[in-house]
Amino acid sequence: MQYTRFLVLGDSFSEGMSDEIINGKYRGWADRVADVLAKQNPEFKYANFAIRGKLVKQVFEEQVPLALPLIDGPRTLVSFHAGANDALRPNFDRNIVRTAY
């Protein structure tokens, strides 16, 4: 299947923080995947909503509503990664994160 859109939601892992530096700028895994997909389709669209430090609840509340209207059927690829920042918190409750997922 040839994807026409790639939407990325999450925290620093998806944002690309501390990934490979190209020409003085970070180039995350999602950006590199988007580069490959864009070569396959000249009308390809890419949006990376991920922001470092976000918790699962924040990703659901802030990023999911932005991404949902952009989903255009099965040719839209969506990536979601969050939870690592939650796990770093002293009061981390895995059941809360699991329920959110």
Side-chain angles (χ1 to χ4, degrees):
M1 174 180 292
Q2 195 174 68
Y3 292 106
T4 57
R5 296 178 183 204
F6 182 31
L7 309 175
V8 179
L9 310 151
D11 54 24
S12 61
F13 174 76
S14 295
E15 178 190 11
M17 184 178 142
S18 299
D19 279 356
E20 181 179 358
I21 297 178
I22 299 174
N23 297 326
K25 297 183 180 181
Y26 289 116
R27 197 76 182 141
W29 68 266
D31 296 332
R32 294 193 304 265
V33 169
D35 289 344
V36 172
L37 294 173
K39 288 177 185 174
Q40 299 171 6
N41 183 343
E43 295 181 24
F44 178 77
K45 306 268 192 254
Y46 169 56
N48 189 335
F49 297 103
I51 299 173
R52 68 192 72 175
K54 291 295 180 181
L55 304 173
V56 170
K57 183 178 181 200
Q58 293 171 315
V59 174
F60 282 128
E61 291 175 353
E62 300 167 15
Q63 297 174 22
V64 170
L66 296 174
L68 284 176
L70 301 176
I71 295 174
D72 187 27
R75 294 182 155 234
T76 301
L77 178 62
V78 179
S79 171
F80 179 96
H81 176 274
N85 294 311
D86 296 81
L88 294 173
R89 299 288 171 114
N91 60 347
F92 173 65
D93 183 342
R94 64 185 168 97
N95 291 320
I96 292 172
V97 173
R98 185 178 347 164
T99 300
Y101 265 85

